[in-house]
Amino acid sequence: MQLRFIPHFLFLVFVFLNASCLNDKIGDKCESSYYTTTVEPILITDCANSISCHVSEGNAGADFTKYDVVYAEKDEILRRISLDVSNPDFMPKGGLPLTFEEIQILNDWVAYGAKGCDN
């Protein structure tokens, strides 16, 4: 009699353990971890650390090590990284252009709501 409840119990355990990711997925990744594992490393490597610009007290105004700043600047970031390298507004200024794949990751992130760690 009790054995028939085991599959139901296991199903509920599975749902409970995965509930935090069920409603916020981009592909197979939860959006909260997608930002920190996929989006943020691009910004840190290409916009912040590589040429010391978009960091706290860097030589650019916006600190891309902070999610709220990146979120507020997301449209401008996309615009500037997509410009031709000869354009004076092109970013990263003085650095290598982002790859097609990196730009696509940032575009997808914005298209899916630009979620960060806290939402």
Side-chain angles (χ1 to χ4, degrees):
M1 184 78 140
Q2 292 178 349
L3 291 177
R4 71 181 184 149
F5 293 107
I6 290 176
H8 298 287
F9 175 75
L10 292 174
F11 175 75
L12 290 174
V13 169
F14 174 79
V15 169
F16 176 75
L17 292 175
N18 291 296
S20 65
C21 296
L22 288 177
N23 292 323
D24 23 359
K25 291 202 177 215
I26 295 180
D28 333 344
K29 301 174 182 143
C30 293
E31 290 170 339
S32 59
S33 64
Y34 187 80
Y35 178 77
T36 57
T37 62
T38 308
V39 175
E40 188 177 41
I42 293 169
L43 297 172
I44 298 300
T45 300
D46 294 316
C47 307
N49 289 342
S50 68
I51 48 181
S52 298
C53 288
H54 293 284
V55 293
S56 178
E57 300 184 31
N59 55 12
D63 181 356
F64 288 175
T65 63
K66 297 179 179 165
Y67 168 77
D68 58 329
V69 174
V70 172
Y71 184 84
E73 298 289 329
K74 66 187 179 305
D75 295 326
E76 185 64 8
I77 292 168
L78 289 180
R79 184 185 79 77
R80 295 184 78 170
I81 63 174
S82 300
L83 293 171
D84 186 87
V85 293
S86 64
N87 189 307
D89 288 338
F90 170 79
M91 288 289 169
K93 219 178 257 328
L96 295 173
L98 275 67
T99 65
F100 174 81
E101 291 79 14
E102 290 171 326
I103 293 172
Q104 191 61 49
I105 287 169
L106 295 175
N107 276 311
D108 290 347
W109 171 68
V110 170
Y112 282 99
K115 302 244 182 195
C117 302
D118 299 328
N119 51 12

